[in-house]
Amino acid sequence: MKRTAHPSGLGEALLLATLACLLLSGSINAKIYTKCELAKQLTANGISRTYQGHWICLANAVSGLDSTKTTELPNQTHNYGIFQINSKEWCRVGYKGGKCNVKCEDLATDSITTAIQCSKLIQQQKGFNEWQLWQKKCKGKDLPDLSNCNAVG
């Protein structure tokens, strides 16, 4: 009786191991901001200290302060980045477009300047009410205390 090896078993194991590494590397590289780090970025992008509590509460509510978060919605659109900006109206996948004239992928990186600029435009045009989780978790509620963030450079 001739015995044959089954290389597909090894190949499948290797494929699964590779996929696991890719998934883990994506989560390891995600930048989770602290509220003080985010406050510093907001200041650098022209957001008044008066409103930073709203922005930080929003980011915490929608993304857990994760700059690389991407969420697929039931309507086949996606939300991108620390402020979960939607692809239907504000950005385009693969190329610059939408009302913010940005690639959606550029909203979900460790550098959040593009996400802040686009979010400012959304807030100016539609207010914080554009984000349902802001209404639910931030509007009329206690906002994050940023008083101890002054020590951050």
Side-chain angles (χ1 to χ4, degrees):
M1 181 177 215
K2 186 175 179 184
R3 199 170 160 189
T4 57
H6 291 285
S8 65
L10 179 61
E12 288 172 15
L14 186 58
L15 178 62
L16 289 174
T18 303
L19 286 173
C21 287
L22 288 172
L23 291 172
L24 286 174
S25 69
S27 62
I28 291 168
N29 291 331
K31 169 76 172 154
I32 310 295
Y33 279 78
T34 67
K35 67 181 182 178
C36 292
E37 288 172 330
L38 181 52
K40 184 177 178 181
Q41 290 296 313
L42 292 169
T43 297
N45 283 279
I47 304 274
S48 164
R49 184 87 173 187
T50 306
Y51 296 104
Q52 288 182 7
H54 288 280
W55 287 101
I56 292 167
C57 183
L58 167 65
N60 193 47
V62 299
S63 72
L65 303 178
D66 181 348
S67 65
T68 61
K69 183 174 181 178
T70 303
T71 308
E72 183 174 356
L73 302 178
N75 67 358
Q76 304 303 310
T77 64
H78 289 78
N79 287 342
Y80 290 87
I82 196 165
F83 298 111
Q84 291 293 279
I85 297 168
N86 190 262
S87 61
K88 182 177 180 184
E89 187 173 353
W90 302 102
C91 62
R92 292 294 170 261
V93 176
Y95 60 94
K96 286 185 175 185
K99 290 184 178 179
C100 289
N101 194 33
V102 298
K103 284 177 30 178
C104 295
E105 298 87 344
D106 291 343
L107 298 170
T109 67
D110 289 351
S111 173
I112 60 172
T113 299
T114 301
I116 292 171
Q117 295 302 320
C118 184
S119 294
K120 281 172 53 176
L121 181 66
I122 295 168
Q123 197 276 331
Q124 289 165 357
Q125 290 186 8
K126 300 204 172 191
F128 284 111
N129 286 326
E130 176 71 359
W131 289 275
Q132 291 180 357
L133 280 175
W134 177 85
Q135 294 176 51
K136 186 176 182 179
K137 301 201 174 212
C138 305
K139 187 176 184 178
K141 308 255 193 310
D142 289 337
L143 298 172
D145 178 14
L146 304 176
S147 60
N148 65 343
C149 292
N150 293 331
V152 175

